[in-house]
């Protein structure tokens, strides 16, 4: 009896064990047995790890023995430290502080224009004359009266020095002369306003009124006077560059209309942030020999905001990004066991970009060989054939 019971128990365990071995993953999940689920998971993980290792060993053996294995053809570059300059680009306009419209200081008929468009004039030159409406005649009369008052005063002064005459007569003569002199000066200054005078050296850029027209003081424009010897560029820069864009920074200026590029520098930086567009103003020097440049001409300004003397640079085309948002490149590694060059994936941290190149801050070192052409077609650990190795020096 006991023997039959033991046989039945062994048979049941054998059948149960066979059933457990043949259970699929779906069947194991359906059991809702946490312990059995964990056991199955651990067994499958161990099998997967063992298979992965076996596959890797087989790949190395095949690569070593099978000379007909197809290799990825790539071109590589040796990364060496070099000088790197980054530029921020903004748009600017040519300006000059000596670009003004001249208005008359006296109302009347524009009697004569002494200059035409394009004339070079000196500071103080008479550009136009207005009809003085008889002021010059009045001035002549005042000058005669002033001369008489002066003569009277000088004679009275001599008499007073000899104690001849009264002090009152002397003071009256002196007062009369000084009053007449003041009137003459006032009318003379008024008469000077009938002329339009050049306030600085420059060029007559436009004549805005014709001779014979009646003009009003401070209202009617007559000339535009421009001095191009001290032109500069003005531009607005985003406030995010406030700490990098400072006076003295190197600048490259491009005038697309002229096909002209000139080197310059920032000469001044504004101290005010415009609340409307969150920018600050800058001024950039312009070379004096560039005669083609005119006020209000538009230019593209590239400002050097960052410089590194020992930067590691790679082309943008060799950088890829994984699903986690990490950027990576492929470097070359010689596998001693396979006696073959392989691609090695390296996660990198990038810095600024200028043109076609990106600065690498972390992930590679000087002297590393980075796959340039063919980087998009290789995988980590894949055997490669290097056609050419270049240097970025």
């Amino acid at each position: 009896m006991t023997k039959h019971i033991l046989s039945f128990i062994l048979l049941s365990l054998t059948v149960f064990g066979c059933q457990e071995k043949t259970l699929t993953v779906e069947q194991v999940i359906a059991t809702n047995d946490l312990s059995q689920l964990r056991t199955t998971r651990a067994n499958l993980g161990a099998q997967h790890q063992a298979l992965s290792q076996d596959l890797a060993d087989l790949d190395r053996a095949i690569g070593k023995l099978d000379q007909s294995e197809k290799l990825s053809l790539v071109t590589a570059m040796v990364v060496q430290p070099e000088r790197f300059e980054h530029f921020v680009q903004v748009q600017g306009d040519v300006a000059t502080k000596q670009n003004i419209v001249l208005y008359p200081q006296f109302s009347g008929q524009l009697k004569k224009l002494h200059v035409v468009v394009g004339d070079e004039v000196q500071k103080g030159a008479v550009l136009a004359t207005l009809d003085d409406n008889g002021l010059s005649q009045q001035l002549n009369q005042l000058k005669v009266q002033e001369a008489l008052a002066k003569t009277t005063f000088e004679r009275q002064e001599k008499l007073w020095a000899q104690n001849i005459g009264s002090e009152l007569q002397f003071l009256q003569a002196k007062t009369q002369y000084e009053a007449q002199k003041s009137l003459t000066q006032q009318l003379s200054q008024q008469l000077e306003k009938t002329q339009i005078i050049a306030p600085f050296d420059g060029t007559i850029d436009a004549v805005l009124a014709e001779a014979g027209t009646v003009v009003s003081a401070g209202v009617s424009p007559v000339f535009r006077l421009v001095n191009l010897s001290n032109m500069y560029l003005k531009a607005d820069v985003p406030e995010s560059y406030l700490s990098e864009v400072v006076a003295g920074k190197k600048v490259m200026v491009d005038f697309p209309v002229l096909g002209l590029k000139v080197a310059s520098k920032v000469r001044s930086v504004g101290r005010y942030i415009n609340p409307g567009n969150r920018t600050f103003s800058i001024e950039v020097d312009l070379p004096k020999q560039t005669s083609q440049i005119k006020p209000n001409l538009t230019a593209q300004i590239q400002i050097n905001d960052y410089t590194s003397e020992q930067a590691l640079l790679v082309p943008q085309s060799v950088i890829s990004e994984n699903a986690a948002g990490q950027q990576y490149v492929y470097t070359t590694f010689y596998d001693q066991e396979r006696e073959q060059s392989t691609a090695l994936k390296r996660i990198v941290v990038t810095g600024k970009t200028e043109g076609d190149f990106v600065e690498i801050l972390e992930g590679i070192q000087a002297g590393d060989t980075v796959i340039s052409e063919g980087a998009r077609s290789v995988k980590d650990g894949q055997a490669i054939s290097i056609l050419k190795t270049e240097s970025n020096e």
Side-chain angles (χ1 to χ4, degrees):
M1 182 70 176
T2 304
K3 181 185 267 189
H4 288 294
I5 293 173
L6 291 174
S7 299
F8 176 78
I9 293 172
L10 290 173
L11 179 61
S12 299
L13 291 173
T14 302
V15 172
F16 178 77
C18 292
Q19 289 178 344
E20 185 179 15
K21 290 180 181 179
T22 59
L23 288 178
T24 64
V25 173
E26 289 79 5
Q27 290 172 333
V28 173
I29 294 173
T31 63
N32 288 328
D33 185 340
L34 180 59
S35 177
Q36 187 171 356
L37 288 170
R38 287 177 173 171
T39 301
T40 304
R41 172 68 175 79
N43 290 337
L44 289 176
Q47 294 173 18
H48 179 269
Q49 186 176 0
L51 288 173
S52 297
Q53 183 61 45
D54 290 342
L55 288 172
D57 292 342
L58 288 172
D59 286 341
R60 279 194 292 271
I62 291 172
K64 192 172 183 179
L65 298 174
D66 188 0
Q67 300 300 321
S68 65
E69 181 183 7
K70 186 177 181 181
L71 303 176
S72 293
L73 303 179
V74 300
T75 299
M77 59 178 291
V78 179
V79 181
Q80 297 292 352
E82 60 181 299
R83 180 181 174 82
F84 174 67
E85 294 181 325
H86 181 266
F87 293 84
V88 55
Q89 181 170 301
V90 297
Q91 181 172 300
D93 297 312
V94 178
T96 174
K97 296 187 184 300
Q98 294 183 324
N99 177 12
I100 63 172
V101 174
L102 298 177
Y103 295 85
Q105 295 179 292
F106 187 84
S107 296
Q109 187 181 47
L110 194 58
K111 188 175 180 180
K112 185 177 181 180
L113 299 176
H114 301 284
V115 293
V116 296
V117 174
D119 282 355
E120 300 285 342
V121 298
Q122 301 294 319
K123 179 179 179 180
V126 178
L127 307 181
T129 303
L130 284 79
D131 188 353
D132 61 16
N133 295 326
L135 285 181
S136 56
Q137 295 177 356
Q138 295 179 33
L139 180 61
N140 290 333
Q141 294 176 0
L142 287 177
K143 286 182 177 179
V144 172
Q145 294 174 6
E146 180 189 348
L148 178 59
K150 181 180 180 182
T151 301
T152 302
F153 166 66
E154 289 176 346
R155 288 180 178 179
Q156 193 64 41
E157 186 179 28
K158 290 179 180 178
L159 292 173
W160 177 247
Q162 298 173 8
N163 293 323
I164 301 174
S166 66
E167 182 179 5
L168 180 59
Q169 291 175 324
F170 168 72
L171 294 176
Q172 286 177 340
K174 180 179 180 182
T175 302
Q176 182 67 25
Y177 168 60
E178 290 178 349
Q180 200 65 46
K181 184 178 180 182
S182 177
L183 287 174
T184 304
Q185 289 177 346
Q186 290 178 14
L187 192 58
S188 178
Q189 292 172 357
Q190 187 71 12
L191 188 61
E192 288 177 357
K193 294 181 180 180
T194 63
Q195 295 180 330
I196 300 178
I197 307 298
F200 52 80
D201 297 348
T203 304
I204 301 299
D205 188 62
V207 177
L208 306 173
E210 297 292 336
T213 59
V214 176
V215 294
S216 300
V219 176
S220 305
V222 180
F223 300 105
R224 176 179 290 279
L225 181 63
V226 179
N227 187 338
L228 302 183
S229 63
N230 188 26
M231 291 188 296
Y232 64 97
L233 280 165
K234 59 180 181 179
D236 293 329
V237 180
E239 66 176 346
S240 56
Y241 296 100
L242 187 60
S243 60
E244 290 87 6
V245 178
V246 296
K249 279 285 187 175
K250 183 169 70 174
V251 170
M252 293 299 298
V253 182
D254 180 17
F255 296 96
V257 174
L258 302 177
L260 175 67
K261 293 184 179 181
V262 296
S264 186
K265 63 180 180 179
V266 177
R267 77 178 187 183
S268 66
V269 176
R271 297 174 180 266
Y272 171 76
I273 301 294
N274 187 331
N277 56 14
R278 309 308 305 174
T279 62
F280 61 95
S281 62
I282 64 169
E283 292 184 3
V284 176
D285 283 326
L286 279 179
K288 295 182 179 180
Q289 65 269 22
T290 50
S291 59
Q292 293 176 289
I293 301 174
K294 309 297 181 185
N296 298 317
L297 184 64
T298 299
Q300 299 296 327
I301 305 173
Q302 292 185 319
I303 310 168
N304 176 219
D305 65 320
Y306 170 77
T307 301
S308 175
E309 299 294 341
Q310 297 288 319
L312 300 179
L313 305 178
V314 299
Q316 293 190 62
S317 58
V318 310
I319 301 177
S320 301
E321 188 172 306
N322 59 24
Q326 296 174 311
Q327 294 180 306
Y328 62 89
V329 298
Y330 284 104
T331 59
T332 63
F333 171 74
Y334 188 76
D335 192 329
Q336 296 289 347
E337 294 185 10
R338 297 169 64 176
E339 298 181 355
Q340 179 65 57
S341 294
T342 59
L344 179 62
K345 186 176 183 179
R346 304 277 285 273
I347 302 297
V348 296
V349 177
T350 59
K352 295 183 180 294
T353 301
E354 184 64 35
D356 295 330
F357 288 88
V358 181
E359 182 184 19
I360 303 298
L361 302 178
E362 298 178 13
I364 62 174
Q365 297 178 349
D368 285 348
T369 303
V370 175
I371 296 177
S372 51
E373 297 182 18
R376 304 286 185 181
S377 61
V378 300
K379 296 181 180 180
D380 189 24
Q382 181 179 350
I384 57 174
S385 177
I386 303 175
L387 294 176
K388 181 173 61 173
T389 301
E390 303 172 332
S391 174
N392 65 339
E393 291 184 323

